C-alpha cells in the first residue's frame, strides 16, 4: 500500500520556528512536494525535493532523506498568515513524454495554528 | 497566478442526477488533474489527462468519467451522483516534466442530497 504520515495539528507562536514532518511508504518515489492551503482556498505549491538535502526558499525550507523515507517542512519567523494546512505529497513517477509523468500522492495534511 | 477557473463554484444536486464540472486553463499546460478533498483524507486523484483525448484513472475513479477535447478544457462527469460524492473538487494543471508542481483552481463545492 501507499501511505504518508504527517501530524494532524501543530500550534506555534508568532516569530517561532516550526517543523512539520512527513514519512512515506510508497511503491514509487521520485520526490517530495509541499503545498500550503488556507481555509476555503486552493492548495499552492511551496517546494520540491528530488534529492537528499535541504532546499531553502525565503522563510520556508524543505528537507529530504530518501534512505529514511522522511522529509520535513521548516517554517521560520512564523507569521499569523502562515496559519494554514500543509500537505506533503510524493511524486510516484518521473520523466517520459507521453502518459503519466508521475502523479502526486498527498498526505492528509497538518493544520498549523500560529498564535500571537 | 496560473489561469485556472472552475465552474460552477457551488452546486447542490439530487442523488441520481448527472453532474458535469468544468475546468478551464489559459496556461497551455499539457497535464490536467481532477482531485476531490474530504475531511481527513487530504487530496485524492480522480482522473488525469496528459493531452487532448488522453486520460487515465487515478486512485478514486469509480463513478466518475472525464473528457478533454481541447487543451484548455477538462470536464469531470458524475454519471449518477451519490451522497458519497459530496465533496470539494479541485482541478489542477502542470507543465511537462513538472508534475511535482501543480497549480490548482479555486475548487467546486458539490453537495449531493
Amino acid at each position: 500500500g501507499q501511505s504518508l504520515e504527517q501530524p494532524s495539528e501543530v500550534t506555534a507562536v508568532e516569530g517561532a520556528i516550526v517543523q512539520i514532518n512527513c514519512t512515506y511508504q510508497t511503491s514509487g518515489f521520485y520526490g517530495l512536494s509541499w503545498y500550503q492551503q488556507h481555509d476555503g482556498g486552493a492548495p499552492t505549491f511551496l517546494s520540491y525535493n528530488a534529492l537528499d538535502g535541504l532546499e531553502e526558499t525565503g522563510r520556508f525550507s524543505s528537507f529530504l532523506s530518501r534512505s529514511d523515507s522522511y522529509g520535513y517542512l521548516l517554517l521560520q519567523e512564523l507569521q499569523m498568515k502562515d496559519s494554514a494546512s500543509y500537505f506533503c505529497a510524493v511524486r510516484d513517477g518521473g520523466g517520459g513524454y507521453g502518459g503519466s509523468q508521475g502523479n502526486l500522492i498527498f498526505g492528509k495534511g497538518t493544520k498549523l495554528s500560529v498564535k500571537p | 497566478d496560473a489561469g485556472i477557473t472552475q465552474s460552477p463554484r457551488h452546486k447542490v444536486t439530487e442523488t441520481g442526477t448527472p453532474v458535469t464540472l468544468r475546468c478551464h486553463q489559459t496556461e497551455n499546460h499539457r497535464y490536467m488533474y481532477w482531485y476531490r478533498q474530504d475531511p481527513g483524507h487530504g487530496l485524492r486523484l480522480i482522473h488525469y489527462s496528459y493531452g487532448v483525448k488522453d486520460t487515465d484513472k487515478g486512485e478514486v475513479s469509480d463513478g466518475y468519467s472525464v473528457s478533454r477535447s481541447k487543451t484548455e478544457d477538462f470536464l469531470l462527469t458524475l454519471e449518477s451522483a451519490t451522497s458519497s460524492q459530496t465533496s470539494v473538487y479541485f482541478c489542477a494543471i502542470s507543465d511537462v516534466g513538472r508534475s511535482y508542481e501543480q497549480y490548482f483552481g479555486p475548487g467546486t463545492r458539490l453537495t449531493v442530497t
Side-chain angles (χ1 to χ4, degrees):
Chain A
Q2 317 222 74
S3 68
L4 286 84
E5 298 292 332
Q6 50 180 131
S8 58
E9 293 183 18
V10 173
T11 301
V13 297
E14 207 171 6
I17 299 172
V18 72
Q19 180 174 311
I20 298 174
N21 298 321
C22 175
T23 59
Y24 57 88
Q25 191 169 22
T26 57
S27 56
F29 180 84
Y30 285 79
L32 187 70
S33 293
W34 288 92
Y35 285 78
Q36 178 191 61
Q37 184 180 30
H38 287 98
D39 283 348
T44 57
F45 172 76
L46 290 177
S47 67
Y48 176 67
N49 294 68
L51 303 175
D52 290 354
L54 191 69
E55 294 281 344
E56 299 182 65
T57 308
R59 294 188 297 114
F60 293 4
S61 303
S62 57
F63 172 83
L64 175 65
S65 170
R66 289 175 296 171
S67 60
D68 295 321
S69 299
Y70 163 75
Y72 65 73
L73 181 68
L74 190 74
L75 295 82
Q76 302 182 73
E77 302 173 15
L78 280 174
Q79 302 176 10
M80 298 296 290
K81 68 178 181 180
D82 297 330
S83 292
S85 292
Y86 293 84
F87 295 88
C88 59
V90 164
R91 184 187 189 192
D92 68 0
Y97 184 75
S100 172
Q101 294 196 333
N103 293 319
L104 292 180
I105 304 166
F106 284 83
K108 295 180 180 180
T110 298
K111 187 174 179 65
L112 171 64
S113 298
V114 180
K115 308 294 186 184
Chain B
D1 289 343
I4 313 169
T5 56
Q6 293 184 230
S7 58
R9 294 293 313 280
H10 298 88
K11 186 170 182 66
V12 180
T13 191
E14 294 184 349
T15 298
T17 60
V19 176
T20 295
L21 309 183
R22 180 181 183 240
C23 177
H24 179 78
Q25 61 145 328
T26 58
E27 303 298 316
N28 201 35
H29 281 0
R30 183 164 180 232
Y31 291 81
M32 299 185 75
Y33 313 82
W34 276 108
Y35 292 91
R36 62 177 290 173
Q37 185 172 37
D38 305 289
H41 286 278
L43 289 149
R44 293 181 291 174
L45 183 65
I46 304 171
H47 282 279
Y48 65 96
S49 170
Y50 48 95
V52 174
K53 299 191 190 306
D54 292 321
T55 65
D56 206 348
K57 296 178 180 179
E59 177 191 1
V60 290
S61 60
D62 286 350
Y64 302 94
S65 63
V66 290
S67 66
R68 190 168 178 200
S69 59
K70 298 186 290 185
T71 298
E72 56 266 35
D73 291 325
F74 193 31
L75 304 180
L76 176 71
T77 297
L78 290 66
E79 301 291 347
S80 177
T82 68
S83 58
S84 64
Q85 294 176 312
T86 292
S87 187
V88 178
Y89 291 85
F90 286 101
C91 173
I93 64 174
S94 70
D95 208 349
V96 173
R98 300 178 72 86
S99 62
Y100 56 87
E101 183 178 352
Q102 296 183 15
Y103 295 94
F104 285 78
T108 294
R109 183 171 295 276
L110 176 68
T111 303
V112 183
T113 62

